[in-house]
Amino acid sequence: MLKHIEAMGARMVALVAPSLTAEAAAAEVCYDEYSHCARGCNWGRNRLAYDRICNGQYRYTWYADCGTCAD
């Protein structure tokens, strides 16, 4: 009887978990937006800076590799 209850519980979780994951993914929409050409690399090189925007809110800025900005 205990194994039957465990099996039923596993089936219920398997049915519900994918929908919870999909709902959480749909709830937060994120994209990267070009911010500016940043300094901070060696030998006078620079890099592109991008802002991470999720649901219209600024989250953080991340930087591409050095030497990617046009001179």
Side-chain angles (χ1 to χ4, degrees):
M1 183 68 167
L2 182 59
K3 288 190 179 204
H4 178 69
I5 293 171
E6 288 176 352
M8 291 300 291
R11 288 181 189 164
M12 294 296 285
V13 169
L15 291 173
V16 174
S19 64
L20 292 176
T21 304
E23 287 177 12
E28 186 167 72
V29 177
C30 297
Y31 62 93
D32 296 319
E33 183 176 286
Y34 172 76
S35 177
H36 63 282
C37 188
R39 295 179 183 250
C41 294
N42 294 332
W43 304 292
R45 301 177 90 189
N46 50 27
R47 56 189 174 171
L48 294 171
Y50 292 92
D51 291 337
R52 183 72 170 170
I53 310 294
C54 295
N55 293 337
Q57 299 283 328
Y58 168 82
R59 294 295 170 99
Y60 56 87
T61 299
W62 65 275
Y63 300 94
D65 289 334
C66 294
T68 56
C69 293
D71 290 296

